[in-house]
Amino acid sequence: MQTVHTIAQLRATVDQWRGRRERVAFVPTMGNLHAGHLQLVKRAGRAGDKVVVSIFVNPTQFGCGEDYGTYPRTLKQDSLKLAESGAHLLFVPEVSEIYPFGAGHTTQVDVPDLSTILCGASRPGHFTGVATVVTKLFNAVRPHVAVFGEKDYQQLLLVRRMVADLCLPIEIIGVPTLREPDGLAMSSRNGYLSAEERERAPALQQALARGGEALLAGERDHPSLCARISTLLLKSGFRPDYISIRRAEDLAEPQAADSRLIILAAAWLGSTRLIDNLPVTLKNPE
Ligand code: PAF
């Protein structure tokens, strides 16, 4: 696996591949890789002839007081894992390579509607940072296909919407969330949990599962169901940020006839904010 730090080096290799009509698959990451990331890399390997992975802790998607400064930078271990998982090229740019005029003075990409709800409401500016950096990375890498995890479901839909809106010729593939044996969704931020918090953490997925069962059993009072999920989380020591039942396709408020729903939640465990979601398909929605 080749590692490059500049867009010029990246393009020199990708241009050769494209010249040979090879299909380029891309996985953007912020590093501190776990098995969930490696699953995205493996999926990319099936979607393309060559796999590019980026590791870039993007300053513009972190808010004031968030963990940009302390986000784990584990490049050595990450490179070894990526080489073993079949990546061909690792792109590790400096902030100045991605933001040549400064991160605070960049041209921004704003995806309406999806940027300001749910996680976007709790983390103002977060999704503008994500859309901006993903656009820059797409322009740098020029992939045919890019792979994102469904754990960050709102991010996945935002990227799909942005690609459609900006007419970018890139196929977006979503990969189901990989979980620990006790059900906790894999996340780089799980490493922030104390031993005691880690024991409690699967309660987030369990509360969503109770919600899913209720929807499948015919519960249609979504506010009351979300309140019950919130109570379960409070009892397990979480501080819920939001719990919401949305249409899976676009995160709009569901209508009675909608069958593909998703329950999304964000909740604090101590000083760590965890997110998770559960897609639910109703057989007889109305
Ligand atoms: O999901 C992430 O790790 C990041 O939001 C991404 C897509 C790499 C953009 O910085």
Side-chain angles (χ1 to χ4, degrees), residues 81-92:
K81 290 178 188 171
L82 288 172
E84 278 171 14
S85 302
H88 299 92
L89 180 58
L90 172 60
F91 177 45
V92 191

Side-chain angles (χ1 to χ4, degrees), residues 28-30 56 58 61 130 133-134 148 152 155:
T29 81
M30 297 205 299
F56 179 64
N58 172 37
Q61 69 187 76
V130 170
V133 80
V134 170
F148 291 80
D152 296 302
Q155 169 174 280

Side-chain angles (χ1 to χ4, degrees), residues 114-127 154 242 273:
L114 276 172
S115 284
T116 51
I117 59 172
L118 305 171
C119 281
S122 311
R123 303 181 68 191
H126 168 69
F127 284 119
Q154 187 173 0
Y242 68 78
R273 184 174 178 277

